């Protein structure tokens, strides 16, 4: 079946076009082009927007705003986004890394979406036109118009960490992906923790029980033990060609421990 491509100069016009039946938004194409190649007949028209705002990175006042069309490769080499370099590079090999976009990764199903896991740990805000919603809520519904940008406060130095676990190094599909922002007080006691998990549900999710268990403790093997014990609470990992649900649940505490102590 032939596919049509409609290009608009504004996000508003592209959003209007997406109201028609059989349309799908085209960003980097790593999701929708693959869907077409695999025989998805639910759409016949790609819609894309060339609005310059989609390709901007703005960093000021301790905050970052990344346009939805920015690619993983662009994030990885941006000097002021070094904290996200590892998460960006984790998204596929060079070909995918140069095409996959920040906005598109928010829609990637498990076991993909590694960059969205990092954004969830950073408590990002997702912008769709004039609307801004917390990433937690956005990932629950994944809708509301074309994503134009994500924004977040830059975390304190050394508080953010990211880990991708895969069987094929370095660019294999994820068994797990984990990200955390852990802040400590003057006495090295953890004052706040935000932990995000990939591949432990149908979308990136928070490890809320583990977060709660970390607060007030020190980042030592004994200190994090209660958090590791409840790390899988509330999760529902899938069994796929990469790993079983049982395996993911079993290795989660091991890798979360490495993330927190690393």
């Amino acid at each position: 079946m032939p596919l049509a491509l409609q290009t608009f100069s504004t996000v508003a016009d592209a959003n209007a076009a997406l109201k028609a039946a059989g349309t799908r938004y085209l960003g980097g194409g790593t999701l929708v082009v693959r869907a077409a190649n695999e025989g998805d007949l639910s759409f016949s028209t790609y819609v894309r927007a060339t609005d310059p705002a989609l390709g901007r990175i703005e960093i000021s006042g301790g905050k970052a705003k990344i346009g939805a069309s920015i690619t993983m490769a662009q994030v990885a080499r941006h000097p002021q986004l070094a904290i996200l370099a590892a998460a960006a590079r984790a998204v596929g090999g060079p070909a995918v890394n140069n095409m996959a976009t920040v906005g598109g990764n928010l829609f990637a199903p498990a076991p993909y979406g590694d960059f969205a896991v990092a954004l969830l740990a950073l408590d990002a805000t997702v912008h769709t036109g004039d609307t801004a919603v917390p990433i937690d809520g956005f990932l629950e519904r994944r809708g509301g118009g074309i994503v134009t940008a994500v924004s977040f406060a830059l975390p304190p130095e050394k508080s953010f960490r990211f880990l991708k676990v895969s069987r094929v190094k370095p660019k294999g599909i994820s068994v797990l992906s984990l990200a955390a922002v852990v802040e400590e007080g003057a006495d090295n006691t953890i004052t706040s923790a935000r932990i995000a998990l990939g591949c432990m549900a149908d979308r990136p999710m928070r490890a809320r029980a583990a977060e709660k268990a970390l607060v007030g403790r020190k980042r030592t093997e004994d200190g994090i033990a209660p958090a590791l014990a409840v790390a899988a609470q509330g999760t529902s990992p899938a069994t796929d060609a990469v790993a079983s649900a049982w395996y993911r649940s079993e290795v989660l505490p091991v890798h979360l421990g490495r993330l927190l102590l690393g």
Side-chain angles (χ1 to χ4, degrees):
M1 180 182 71
L3 289 167
L5 173 63
Q6 297 179 354
T7 301
F8 299 90
S9 59
T10 69
V11 171
D13 288 341
N15 262 321
L18 285 170
K19 294 178 181 179
T23 56
R24 190 78 66 85
Y25 187 74
L26 176 66
T30 58
L31 296 176
V32 295
V33 172
R34 181 176 65 184
N37 290 340
E38 292 177 349
D40 188 338
L41 300 178
S42 65
F43 61 98
S44 58
T45 302
Y46 289 130
V47 173
R48 64 190 293 262
T50 58
D51 191 324
L54 297 173
R56 292 180 188 145
I57 297 176
E58 302 172 8
I59 300 176
S60 64
K63 295 183 178 181
K65 187 173 185 179
I66 308 175
S69 293
I70 293 295
T71 66
M72 296 296 111
Q74 288 174 300
V75 171
R77 62 175 176 257
H78 195 286
Q80 292 176 282
L81 293 175
I83 61 163
L84 284 172
R89 293 191 185 103
V91 181
V96 172
N97 215 245
N98 280 296
M99 294 296 294
T101 62
V102 169
N105 202 256
L106 295 171
F107 295 88
Y112 307 102
D114 301 310
F115 194 77
V117 174
L119 292 175
L120 180 58
L122 289 167
D123 197 18
T125 296
V126 180
H127 302 264
T128 55
D130 295 329
T131 303
V133 297
I135 189 170
D136 307 60
F138 177 85
L139 291 173
E140 288 181 5
R141 56 184 178 81
R142 283 174 169 160
I146 296 171
V147 173
T148 56
V150 296
S151 62
F152 53 89
L154 294 169
E157 187 177 3
K158 298 182 180 180
S159 66
F160 175 80
R161 54 201 69 213
F162 173 85
L163 175 66
K164 174 177 176 174
V165 181
S166 61
R167 297 182 184 276
V168 179
K169 307 296 184 182
K171 299 297 181 182
I173 298 171
S174 294
V175 172
L176 294 170
S177 53
L178 310 95
V181 176
V182 179
E183 298 185 39
E184 300 169 80
D187 61 351
N188 294 324
T189 297
I190 296 171
T191 56
S192 68
R194 188 175 174 97
I195 301 170
L197 308 175
C199 301
M200 294 304 293
D202 61 350
R203 60 183 181 272
M205 63 170 291
R206 295 268 299 281
R208 295 184 185 275
E211 293 171 353
K212 185 177 179 180
L214 282 175
V215 175
R217 303 185 67 89
K218 294 187 184 296
R219 199 162 50 85
T220 63
E221 287 190 13
D222 290 339
I224 68 171
L228 302 187
V230 297
Q233 194 173 110
T235 63
S236 54
T239 292
D240 54 30
V242 179
S244 67
W246 173 86
Y247 181 78
R248 286 186 163 108
S249 295
E250 287 295 304
V251 301
L252 172 60
V254 176
H255 292 293
L256 179 57
R258 291 173 179 171
L259 178 77
L260 294 174
L261 296 175

